[in-house]
Amino acid sequence: DAGITQSPRHKVTETGTPVTLRCHQTENHRYMYWYRQDPGHGLRLIHYSYGVKDTDKGEVSDGYSVSRSKTEDFLLTLESATSSQTSVYFCAISEMGQGDGANVLTFGAGSRLTVL
Amino acid sequence: RKEVEQDPGPFNVPEGATVAFNCTYSNSASQSFFWYRQDCRKEPKLLMSVYSSGNEDGRFTAQLNRASQYISLLIRDSKLSDSATYLCVANDYKLSFGAGTTVTVRA
């Protein structure tokens, strides 16, 4: 399996608190992504990165920020968590980027976040 | 309208049966497609890529119909281990995921 790990795997927090999720890869892939998965919805892209310090917004980026200071690490931050951000968050990596026909993703195990 | 739509199921089938389900996509410019498999409370994993009219991998066959803008997945000789949710993905300049079709194979 690809070397991609997420932490924490589970977190319960209260509304208004900051939360940071970490994604770490050992595959040296250029592209990294954060998705959220909710019942009845497909995976929705929050933010993605196409290189160190290079990031862009996805379709559901409001309330989230990201940082990528090293190739291997991609952090997702909820500055002030809300109940609507209760979800399962998946990090993914790929060798090809957005728009490439062969853009195959490898996912981390997921981080289950509950905001009370 | 969602960019990728799937029948959520569940499709309940006995072992050994054939099961097939479709995925429709709205963007005719989509250039490639993928099927991912997701087990309960696990991450999605790539099952198959589809770049032309279809693809076959063992018991799994994907067929692409560009005229009608749908892609199907057929599973032959179903195994208990095929029980999962199958996610359809369309790729134009971005990846669009369907919400998944759940398949349950019973003994």
Side-chain angles (χ1 to χ4, degrees):
Chain A
D1 285 351
I4 175 171
T5 55
Q6 294 184 225
S7 61
R9 295 289 314 282
H10 298 87
K11 186 170 182 66
V12 180
T13 191
E14 294 188 350
T15 298
T17 60
V19 176
T20 295
L21 305 179
R22 179 178 183 246
C23 178
H24 178 79
Q25 61 142 332
T26 57
E27 301 298 313
N28 201 35
H29 284 352
R30 178 181 175 186
Y31 301 93
M32 298 185 75
Y33 310 80
W34 277 107
Y35 284 89
R36 62 177 289 174
Q37 187 174 39
D38 304 289
H41 293 273
L43 285 155
R44 291 181 291 175
L45 182 64
I46 304 171
H47 283 280
Y48 67 97
S49 171
Y50 47 97
V52 174
K53 298 191 188 308
D54 292 323
T55 65
D56 206 349
K57 296 180 180 179
E59 62 179 300
V60 290
S61 60
D62 287 349
Y64 302 94
S65 62
V66 290
S67 66
R68 192 170 178 196
S69 58
K70 297 185 289 185
T71 298
E72 56 266 36
D73 290 327
F74 193 32
L75 303 181
L76 176 70
T77 298
L78 292 65
E79 299 290 348
S80 177
T82 67
S83 59
S84 64
Q85 294 176 311
T86 292
S87 187
V88 180
Y89 292 85
F90 286 101
C91 177
I93 61 175
S94 69
E95 292 185 274
M96 307 296 182
Q98 298 271 73
D100 189 289
N103 188 14
V104 171
L105 302 183
T106 301
F107 288 89
S111 296
R112 190 170 295 270
L113 176 67
T114 301
V115 184
L116 301 176
Chain B
R1 180 187 173 187
K2 292 182 179 179
E3 296 185 40
V4 176
E5 299 206 54
Q6 297 184 249
D7 182 341
F11 287 74
N12 293 304
V13 299
E15 268 190 298
T18 296
V19 60
F21 41 90
N22 291 340
C23 159
T24 60
Y25 60 97
S26 61
N27 189 348
S28 60
S30 297
Q31 56 183 299
S32 58
F33 304 86
F34 307 93
W35 284 103
Y36 283 77
R37 171 201 169 113
Q38 186 173 24
D39 294 314
C40 186
R41 302 178 78 84
K42 299 286 189 180
E43 73 273 24
K45 293 184 178 180
L46 181 69
L47 177 67
M48 187 177 295
S49 304
V50 183
Y51 299 110
S52 58
S53 61
N55 195 5
E56 183 172 332
D57 183 3
R59 298 182 294 106
F60 296 83
T61 300
Q63 291 286 345
L64 173 61
N65 185 319
R66 288 194 181 274
S68 300
Q69 293 186 204
Y70 73 87
I71 182 167
S72 63
L73 183 66
L74 182 146
I75 307 173
R76 286 185 296 277
D77 188 22
S78 298
K79 313 292 185 189
L80 294 176
S81 58
D82 295 333
S83 297
T85 297
Y86 293 85
L87 308 180
C88 173
V89 185
N91 184 14
D92 43 53
Y93 67 95
K94 61 178 175 60
L95 297 177
S96 297
F97 284 80
T101 296
T102 297
V103 173
T104 302
V105 182
R106 62 183 187 273

